[in-house]
Each structure stands twice: as structure tokens, then as C-alpha cells.
Amino acid sequence: MTMTNYLTTLITEKGASINDEIKLPGHIGLTWETLIDFVEQCPEYHNQIRTTLVEIDFQAGDVFHYLTHLAQGMVKAWGH
């Protein structure tokens, strides 16, 4: 399964749409799809991201908390 498929499936199974907006102060229009596209371009991190998400999900944690953390990193990488 590709990272795009994995993240899309995870997000939708957790009750959200990839088109839902990520709530980050000062950033309008960021969606889960934006994050998925960004992560897809960073294959060196795929295993680490997937492992972390599996651990969070296994412990009944909030995967969106971690995904939002990744989105904050994405915004920083863009220099915003």
C-alpha cells in the first residue's frame, strides 16, 4: 500500500475527509490532502510516520494530533 493510500484510508476510517481543512492558526485552505501530497514526496520518512501512526492507533490515541504536528512541520518546511 502506498503512503497516499495508507493515509487516505486512515483519515477516512477515523471519520474525516481528505478535503477537510487542517486547523492551523494563520493558515487557511490547508487540507489533509495537502499534507498527504507533501508526505508522499518525503519517502525517507514513510516508515517512521507509518510506525508512529500505528502505535498511536493501537493505543487508541488521536492520530489527528500527530497528523496536525506533521502539518505544522510542513508549514515550517515551506518557510511560513
Side-chain angles (χ1 to χ4, degrees), residues 9-79:
T9 300
L10 179 68
I11 289 167
T12 56
E13 284 181 351
K14 296 300 177 183
S17 166
I18 63 168
N19 298 312
D20 289 347
E21 188 172 341
I22 302 170
K23 308 292 186 211
L24 290 181
H27 299 281
I28 299 170
L30 292 178
T31 64
W32 296 119
E33 185 174 28
T34 308
L35 178 63
I36 291 168
D37 292 343
F38 179 79
V39 169
E40 188 62 44
Q41 296 177 24
C42 305
E44 65 273 20
Y45 297 107
H46 288 185
N47 287 337
Q48 181 181 359
I49 291 169
R50 189 183 307 238
T51 298
T52 302
L53 286 167
V54 167
E55 288 176 7
I56 292 167
D57 195 29
F58 181 75
Q59 296 177 19
D62 183 0
V63 296
F64 290 105
H65 179 79
Y66 180 67
L67 292 172
T68 300
H69 170 72
L70 292 178
Q72 290 168 336
M74 174 183 69
V75 168
K76 284 183 181 179
W78 288 343

